[in-house]
Amino acid sequence: LKELPAHLVAFSGAMAAAFTAWLLPMLVFELCPVARAGDTVRIPSMEIASGVHMPVLSIGTGGLESQAASTIVINWLGLGAYGIDTALIYRNQQAVGAAINASGVPRKDLFITTKIPGCMQAKASIESDLKQLGVDYIDLLLIHFPGPISARCPSTWGVLEDYHAKGVLKSIGVSNFQTKDLEAILNVAKVKPAVNQIEHNILHHDDATIAFCQKHIIKVEAYSPLGRGNHSGDITDNKAIQGIAAAHNVSTYQVALRWILQHGHIVTFQSSSQAHQAADADVFGFALSAAELAALDGLQNASAASASTL
């Protein structure tokens, strides 16, 4: 076969780039089947386990007083978004449950993620989660962290599997687990963890744990996707992120969320007002280019190198 003329090569390259930009917003997601008149946002979903579809964006309630948690959930549900992330140690689940009940949204349309604290007293913690939330099943239950007695995690996983077999837990997973912690679970698991929820953002990502999860088909869910103050660096004021945001006429927060989603991960984030929630969730109308993704991927190492010279 003869080589294509240079002008045709350039044309085909441009067409491929245009096609990629068109296709990327739809990759790894499927439209959430729930859509109601008046919904402001539509969040796509991802299959995390057989027959279990999770919205790729959920609203988080960690570290909030009960009233604030209730307000955030009410605002989120009012937009037509139905993924909610909470935990037993947040001590606000009764308020979250009351907000869910008052919303009038059918339980089947919601996706509730909650967590038990560590690998002790799993049965009591699960029962407390159910009671506080006022539900008879949980869509995704996570072990919040492996410590302080991580050796108990394999037996705790067996308790989760028992509740999963009864249909009380539709899917089960972990949070803040690194490779060695995941290996201990996988060695005994009859049901593989569906999700590992970890701190993950442009300026802070554990690539080794993510690679392990991907190898074993465990979905990665990001928390603190917009950074954590001094812990992850300043995403808002990062010049590279600002430049990419300006190129797409979006905010730095939208770029940060889109970067995670476009890598095929799930996100739980926290935003107070309904207007901010709607803006942050508006991340499906643009796509980052391969070059932009690569530039953002490298910011963690660039930030670490910069910090080491101070």
Side-chain angles (χ1 to χ4, degrees):
L1 293 176
K2 294 182 178 180
E3 293 185 4
L4 288 172
H7 70 283
L8 288 181
V9 172
F11 176 75
S12 62
M15 288 296 290
F19 178 74
T20 300
W22 170 80
L23 181 63
L24 275 172
M26 294 178 281
L27 288 178
V28 307
F29 310 130
E30 58 186 67
L31 282 179
C32 183
V34 179
R36 302 181 183 281
D39 284 357
T40 303
V41 300
R42 291 194 67 189
I43 307 297
S45 64
M46 178 186 294
E47 187 172 37
I48 60 169
S50 179
V52 180
H53 294 82
M54 180 178 183
V56 297
L57 291 177
S58 291
I59 201 68
T61 61
L64 298 174
E65 298 294 333
S66 292
Q67 183 57 51
S70 176
T71 300
I72 279 180
V73 170
I74 289 169
N75 287 342
W76 188 240
L77 296 179
L79 290 172
Y82 303 125
I84 299 165
D85 182 275
T86 185
L88 190 61
I89 63 172
Y90 295 167
R91 299 184 179 183
N92 57 23
Q93 287 197 135
Q94 288 182 321
V96 170
I100 289 170
N101 185 58
S103 72
V105 177
R107 174 65 185 91
K108 65 181 179 63
D109 293 344
L110 299 170
F111 193 99
I112 300 173
T113 300
T114 190
K115 313 171 197 76
I116 61 171
C119 294
M120 298 180 292
Q121 301 180 326
K123 183 175 180 180
S125 294
I126 293 169
E127 292 294 338
S128 185
D129 276 328
L130 292 163
K131 182 177 180 180
Q132 289 183 19
L133 290 167
V135 297
D136 56 10
Y137 71 90
I138 292 166
D139 300 283
L140 173 63
L141 185 125
L142 308 175
I143 301 174
H144 206 156
F145 42 82
I149 308 177
S150 59
R152 294 185 180 179
C153 289
S155 60
T156 295
W157 189 254
V159 176
L160 269 62
E161 289 181 326
D162 290 342
Y163 275 87
H164 178 268
K166 297 173 186 176
V168 177
L169 306 178
K170 300 302 181 183
S171 56
I172 52 179
V174 295
S175 179
N176 298 303
F177 274 50
Q178 296 180 324
T179 298
K180 61 181 177 60
D181 308 309
L182 291 166
E183 287 175 336
I185 297 295
L186 291 173
N187 286 337
V188 301
K190 299 174 184 175
V191 179
K192 185 170 57 178
V195 167
N196 185 18
Q197 186 187 95
I198 58 176
E199 182 178 356
H200 180 65
N201 59 66
I202 293 174
L203 300 179
H204 179 84
H205 39 96
D206 180 352
D207 295 334
T209 296
I210 292 169
F212 185 88
C213 289
Q214 291 173 328
K215 177 181 177 181
H216 293 277
I217 318 178
I218 300 169
K219 300 297 184 187
V220 171
E221 181 179 11
Y223 71 78
S224 298
L226 307 177
R228 292 170 61 193
N230 294 330
H231 186 263
S232 302
D234 194 337
I235 287 175
T236 306
D237 290 335
N238 185 281
K239 298 300 182 184
I241 302 173
Q242 287 178 344
I244 291 172
H248 292 277
N249 195 29
V250 297
S251 70
T252 52
Y253 283 176
Q254 287 170 303
V255 169
L257 294 172
R258 181 69 207 182
W259 175 80
I260 296 169
L261 294 172
Q262 212 162 304
H263 276 298
H265 307 317
I266 305 164
V267 179
T268 179
F269 74 106
Q270 197 170 100
S271 190
S272 54
S273 75
Q274 195 172 63
H276 289 161
Q277 290 176 1
D280 291 343
D282 185 15
V283 290
F284 303 103
F286 73 100
L288 302 171
S289 70
E292 288 170 334
L293 281 174
L296 294 171
D297 290 348
L299 289 182
Q300 173 177 241
N301 293 333
S303 296
S306 176
S308 68
T309 63
L310 296 178

